[in-house]
Amino acid sequence: MAKMWTGRTDGVTDKIADDFNSSIKFDCRMYKQDIVGSIAHASMLGAKNIISTSEADALIEGLQGILDDLESGKLEIDMSCEDIHMFVEQVLTARIGDLGKKLHTARSRNDQVALDTRMYLRERANSIVAKIKELLNAVLLKAEENKSTIMPGYTHLQRAQPITFGHHLMAYAMMFLRDIDRFKDVIKRINVSPIGCCALAGTTYDTDRRFEANKLGFDTIALNSIDGVSDRDFCVEFASACSLLMMHLSRFSEEIILWSSWEFKFVELSDAYTTGSSIMPQKKNSDMAELVRGKTGRVYGNLTALLTMLKGLPLAYNKDMQEDKEAVFDSADTVDMCLDVFAPMVATMKVLPDNMLTAAQKGFINATDLADYLVKKGLPFRSAYKICGQIVGDCIKNGKVLETLTINEYKNYSQLFEEDLFNEISLATCVNKRISEGGTSPESVAKQIEFVKGELENE
Ligand code: ARG
């Protein structure tokens, strides 16, 4: 079929070129945004007397009919069209006649596609925010239950200091809170209307861009028409917020995988979120967490693809930009799937406090507290550190731990040691005394939970 843009050329393109050029197989998902955007455009054309009110009404009715029929399944998208914009216009013209061709007055596909993509991503970003909140609620609940659950805290994946599992989980809560903030910030810059920028230079018609922007729920309009049709920063920012979120999910996944191993056994995932092995009967694999970790790569890839696609583009629109959509769609879909599985996986994860405690007891994890004990008795920290280092070294040689040395043995290292040291270095004391703001004590963790809850309520 001859193209809608037949004129300058005969519009007869090679089949291979058509397939290559076409974007309908992926931009078809923006049909709603496209039609709603066109309805706003038609009403603006009517309101400004660029077309008559009755013409505007007929366009709007026709467009609404297409939307209804698509939603009810009465109308199917014709995948042989170049893109969703052409499809809608084609159906409209077929249904209401030549009037349908007036819809494209004072606009271009360049501002139209930018508009559709912004409206689509605005919706996706808002739904991602809602999903992160669900995950946060699951994390908060687990943290609340485990405010006093002692586990080893690690640096370099070596046991470092005792912490509570609630404290550890709240670290992720803080990350997810920032993710919400980031998506909301991205939405601010998504929510700028490009419609009316037309091909690139604006238009000679007396349009009202703000009327359209208002109707479509935008905060403001792009103030430079060349920028309006060339800007894909919002896609990059969206892909970047997705990447950071995935990085957080991936680190969390990695820990869940480690904690689920026989070597750790800190948590056990529900059967509903694990798989078995086809050959090894003992296996319970953390496939969901592994997949989230794995899918992080493709989300980073989308970000890199977008940045690279844009870096050499002259202003204004270039067809290269059609590549923006698959990248952001894939990132949004991947993030959605990961969040959908992650929240219930965390909510149903069984915590094994005894194993966490046992692991915390074996690693001289309270050596810092032993040194602090001497410091409180007047010794400079460096000297205390040295003495405790010797004690740990000797214990390792003799197969002992700090808790099993006698007071007399301690006194061989320093006369400052007294009976009360055993209470001071008990794991519970180590944890309970870390009351500094943001620290690991149950009291401090409770404050962190309250803070995050408050932030969620203020949303
Ligand atoms: N399918 C195109 C895209 O996604 C729509 C814009 C086409 N504009 C143009 N001047 N060819 O970018």
Side-chain angles (χ1 to χ4, degrees):
M1 187 177 52
K3 299 290 178 303
M4 226 172 267
W5 35 260
T6 302
R8 164 71 179 81
T9 72
D10 62 12
V12 181
T13 42
D14 189 276
K15 166 90 171 70
I16 294 175
D18 275 351
D19 290 346
F20 186 63
N21 198 38
S22 157
S23 54
I24 195 153
K25 63 179 181 300
F26 49 86
D27 63 25
C28 59
R29 59 160 95 192
M30 303 194 304
Y31 73 87
K32 192 166 157 206
Q33 288 74 16
D34 195 71
I35 296 173
V36 170
S38 288
I39 289 177
H41 187 61
S43 41
M44 186 280 291
L45 291 177
K48 294 295 287 179
N49 286 321
I50 298 169
I51 58 176
S52 73
T53 325
S54 59
E55 284 176 327
D57 289 345
L59 284 175
I60 293 168
E61 209 187 302
L63 286 162
Q64 189 59 52
I66 296 175
L67 181 57
D68 294 344
D69 291 350
L70 282 172
E71 309 247 90
S72 69
K74 231 162 108 188
L75 175 66
E76 250 180 57
I77 294 176
D78 176 0
M79 289 296 165
S80 70
C81 287
E82 186 180 328
D83 56 29
I84 191 64
H85 326 293
M86 291 303 205
F87 167 75
V88 173
E89 201 180 316
Q90 185 183 298
V91 178
L92 184 69
T93 308
R95 288 186 174 189
I96 68 169
D98 272 358
L99 173 60
K101 298 179 185 167
K102 287 202 175 179
L103 178 63
H104 218 50
T105 315
R107 80 166 177 184
S108 140
R109 264 191 300 162
N110 297 349
D111 54 348
Q112 194 180 354
V113 72
L115 178 84
D116 294 2
T117 312
R118 283 174 184 269
M119 288 203 290
Y120 182 83
L121 281 191
R122 176 173 73 181
E123 213 172 294
R124 296 300 299 262
N126 274 313
S127 111
I128 290 173
V129 167
K131 284 176 194 278
I132 303 175
K133 284 185 189 168
E134 269 174 49
L135 171 59
L136 247 178
N137 283 324
V139 173
L140 287 177
L141 221 66
K142 275 274 167 280
E144 181 84 52
E145 287 164 14
N146 290 284
K147 277 200 300 256
S148 312
T149 307
I150 293 173
M151 72 179 279
Y154 297 84
T155 61
H156 312 269
L157 204 56
Q158 302 281 334
R159 289 173 193 153
Q161 291 180 335
I163 56 169
T164 61
F165 188 50
H167 190 212
H168 198 101
L169 287 174
M170 285 311 292
Y172 286 107
M174 298 300 173
M175 296 176 221
F176 296 137
L177 205 54
R178 287 198 295 278
D179 286 318
I180 291 179
D181 201 40
R182 221 175 328 266
F183 275 102
K184 295 202 135 182
D185 203 51
V186 175
I187 292 169
K188 275 196 252 162
R189 276 177 298 281
I190 289 180
N191 214 21
V192 176
S193 170
I195 195 71
C197 290
C198 304
L200 80 165
T203 181
T204 52
Y205 293 100
D206 179 24
T207 54
D208 186 348
R209 293 188 53 204
R210 288 177 196 272
F211 173 97
E212 289 179 274
N214 275 338
K215 255 195 174 331
L216 297 170
F218 283 95
D219 297 326
T220 183
I221 61 169
L223 291 175
N224 177 299
S225 61
I226 300 174
D227 181 46
V229 291
S230 310
D231 174 19
R232 293 294 184 274
D233 294 7
F234 67 98
C235 293
V236 175
E237 286 191 63
F238 178 84
S240 160
C242 288
S243 297
L244 270 166
L245 168 62
M246 287 302 294
M247 183 265 281
H248 296 151
L249 291 175
S250 186
R251 291 181 81 171
F252 203 170
S253 294
E254 167 64 14
E255 297 211 291
I256 290 174
I257 295 160
L258 270 179
W259 293 337
S260 304
S261 68
W262 281 101
E263 285 69 14
F264 278 79
K265 269 281 163 240
F266 286 0
V267 300
E268 184 170 352
L269 290 176
S270 150
D271 289 358
Y273 300 99
T274 52
T275 59
S277 155
S278 54
I279 169 171
M280 297 164 281
Q282 84 283 11
K283 293 288 287 269
K284 181 168 176 179
N285 297 330
S286 320
D287 284 24
M288 312 306 136
E290 288 170 32
L291 260 180
V292 170
R293 188 179 57 186
K295 284 180 186 290
T296 303
R298 66 191 285 159
V299 175
Y300 290 1
N302 291 332
L303 173 62
T304 309
L306 280 169
L307 285 167
T308 313
M309 179 271 284
L310 288 165
K311 75 180 268 289
L313 288 192
L315 305 182
Y317 179 84
N318 300 268
K319 190 75 174 198
D320 314 45
M321 290 155 90
Q322 181 165 287
E323 290 287 310
D324 60 357
K325 280 170 289 297
E326 280 167 295
V328 286
F329 293 169
D330 183 70
S331 288
D333 293 349
T334 307
V335 160
D336 265 5
M337 279 193 293
C338 291
L339 287 169
D340 283 345
V341 77
F342 220 90
M345 182 178 76
V346 168
T348 55
M349 175 175 84
K350 193 163 131 205
V351 180
L352 303 169
D354 293 346
N355 297 346
M356 289 185 177
L357 185 64
T358 310
Q361 278 162 341
K362 289 189 288 195
F364 299 98
I365 209 163
N366 42 3
T368 316
D369 297 86
L370 189 67
D372 283 342
Y373 173 88
L374 291 176
V375 171
K376 281 177 200 147
K377 300 251 163 160
L379 216 59
F381 183 79
R382 276 293 156 228
S383 319
Y385 175 92
K386 198 159 179 204
I387 291 172
C388 295
Q390 280 167 354
I391 299 176
V392 170
D394 292 344
C395 277
I396 292 171
K397 260 189 244 144
N398 305 321
K400 296 191 171 174
V401 290
L402 297 180
E403 288 85 346
T404 57
L405 287 186
T406 65
I407 185 63
N408 286 337
E409 287 173 307
Y410 271 111
K411 283 199 187 282
N412 288 337
Y413 296 96
S414 166
Q415 282 304 315
L416 293 172
F417 283 123
E418 283 170 76
E419 274 295 339
D420 61 343
L421 87 92
F422 293 103
N423 179 46
E424 281 297 301
I425 64 165
S426 83
L427 295 185
T429 313
C430 295
V431 160
N432 291 338
K433 282 199 162 175
R434 285 200 160 69
I435 49 165
S436 56
E437 245 188 295
T440 207
S441 71
E443 194 185 320
S444 157
V445 173
K447 278 191 197 145
Q448 295 166 41
I449 295 172
E450 277 324 298
F451 168 77
V452 175
K453 277 189 183 162
E455 292 292 296
L456 283 181
E457 272 157 29
N458 287 339
E459 286 283 325

